[in-house]
Amino acid sequence: MANDLFAPFQLGPIELKNRIVMAPLTRNRANAVSAPTDLMARYYAQRASAGLIITEATHVSPQGIPYPRTPGILSPGQVGGWHRITEAVHGRGGRIFVQLWHGGRISHPSLQPNGRLPVAPSAIRPEGKAATPDGPQPYVTPHELDTEEVPEVVEQFIVAAENAEVAGFDGVEIHAANGYLIDQFLRDGSNRRSDRYGGPVENRVRFLREVVEAVIGVWDADRVGVRISPRNTFNSMHDSDPQALFNHVAECLDDYGLAYLHVTESAPPGGPEQRVDFRELRRRWHGVYMANGGYDRARAEAALAEGYADLVSFGVPFLANPDLPERLRRNAPLNPPDPDTFYRGGEHGYTDYPTLEEIELA
């Protein structure tokens, strides 16, 4: 069946072996200079049975680092590390996009070049504490980007996109979700600017559009995706009218012929409610829709069958189940994830989750 979760899918020029996507998952396994490691290559290769892998968020510059031990794609060592990963995934018949990321205000001077302040659309300090090499530290009030500084940040995405080509990726995903820099520009709770990047929705979407236009100047548009999270309240995020905002985002992005729109439909527990009708948003987007957020096999198949979604991405289930497509196909039990190892480093809870075949042979 054409809408079968396990059937091949044509994503622009790329044929995916199934419609099951590995969502980006931050794992903090890069080395001290933000270069991907051989352990990371093993981790991604283990999950190459996904139709598409989207890597963990990968910062586009030292200014964009939000957390220790997260990978970048700037230096030769970082690009070389990613090249070993793409070769490992391709060697197992997989497809892989890199997610391009700038943390914005979700950072700390201890992570910034020369101890500078993190940057943001407005000088508003997020609640909570930053993860730093010395442990949790209170977030600081970020530097508000001058109008003339914004193009410099866009240029960081261009360089990262060029490096992604060198590293051998099949495409790129622009991270415009989860309270990081692009999302900070989108929402009026974090963007209080009065220049062309602030105020009306049309202005707050401008930075996203500039990043998209810059990246599709490097990659063909049908190899570029965008991720958004309209209900997200993580990282002190909120908007006075998220429905109007993200309807407009979908309409704007619809103009570019992108590979897909990746929509995180869930919200973190315990936060303020941000109500969004995703079907209303979906009507404004006519390209490939990638749904994310608590999907299991039954819900994913229902979304495909009715034409609501074209692809479905899975996060934590892929973390603990390297052979997730086969487990879903066979309705087999899933390995339970170990949250204590999500960000700890090392092999345990990273590359040592067993496959069905390993369990059966044990």
PDB file of all heavy atoms in Angstrom, residues 7 14 22 54 135 257:
ATOM      1  N   ALA A   7       6.649   0.925   3.623  1.00  0.00           N
ATOM      2  CA  ALA A   7       6.896   0.994   2.183  1.00  0.00           C
ATOM      3  C   ALA A   7       7.892   2.102   1.867  1.00  0.00           C
ATOM      4  O   ALA A   7       8.018   3.076   2.608  1.00  0.00           O
ATOM      5  CB  ALA A   7       5.581   1.248   1.447  1.00  0.00           C
ATOM      6  N   ILE A  14      15.483  11.687  -3.162  1.00  0.00           N
ATOM      7  CA  ILE A  14      16.016  10.624  -2.307  1.00  0.00           C
ATOM      8  C   ILE A  14      14.943   9.573  -2.052  1.00  0.00           C
ATOM      9  O   ILE A  14      13.832   9.913  -1.622  1.00  0.00           O
ATOM     10  CB  ILE A  14      16.487  11.205  -0.965  1.00  0.00           C
ATOM     11  CG1 ILE A  14      17.514  12.320  -1.178  1.00  0.00           C
ATOM     12  CG2 ILE A  14      17.074  10.109  -0.081  1.00  0.00           C
ATOM     13  CD1 ILE A  14      17.781  13.139   0.064  1.00  0.00           C
ATOM     14  N   MET A  22      14.164   8.699  12.174  1.00  0.00           N
ATOM     15  CA  MET A  22      14.777   8.883  13.490  1.00  0.00           C
ATOM     16  C   MET A  22      14.867  10.376  13.759  1.00  0.00           C
ATOM     17  O   MET A  22      15.548  11.118  13.048  1.00  0.00           O
ATOM     18  CB  MET A  22      16.165   8.253  13.533  1.00  0.00           C
ATOM     19  CG  MET A  22      16.869   8.455  14.864  1.00  0.00           C
ATOM     20  SD  MET A  22      18.488   7.645  14.889  1.00  0.00           S
ATOM     21  CE  MET A  22      19.183   8.353  16.387  1.00  0.00           C
ATOM     22  N   ILE A  54      17.755  11.857  11.166  1.00  0.00           N
ATOM     23  CA  ILE A  54      18.081  13.275  11.362  1.00  0.00           C
ATOM     24  C   ILE A  54      18.990  13.327  12.572  1.00  0.00           C
ATOM     25  O   ILE A  54      18.633  12.854  13.649  1.00  0.00           O
ATOM     26  CB  ILE A  54      16.827  14.140  11.575  1.00  0.00           C
ATOM     27  CG1 ILE A  54      15.838  13.952  10.419  1.00  0.00           C
ATOM     28  CG2 ILE A  54      17.215  15.614  11.705  1.00  0.00           C
ATOM     29  CD1 ILE A  54      14.479  14.578  10.660  1.00  0.00           C
ATOM     30  N   GLY A 135      29.024  22.361  35.727  1.00  0.00           N
ATOM     31  CA  GLY A 135      27.746  22.059  36.337  1.00  0.00           C
ATOM     32  C   GLY A 135      26.706  23.130  36.074  1.00  0.00           C
ATOM     33  O   GLY A 135      26.985  24.132  35.396  1.00  0.00           O
ATOM     34  N   GLY A 257       9.376  25.084  -1.664  1.00  0.00           N
ATOM     35  CA  GLY A 257       9.590  23.750  -2.224  1.00  0.00           C
ATOM     36  C   GLY A 257      10.537  22.897  -1.411  1.00  0.00           C
ATOM     37  O   GLY A 257      11.350  22.138  -1.962  1.00  0.00           O
TER      38      GLY A 257
END
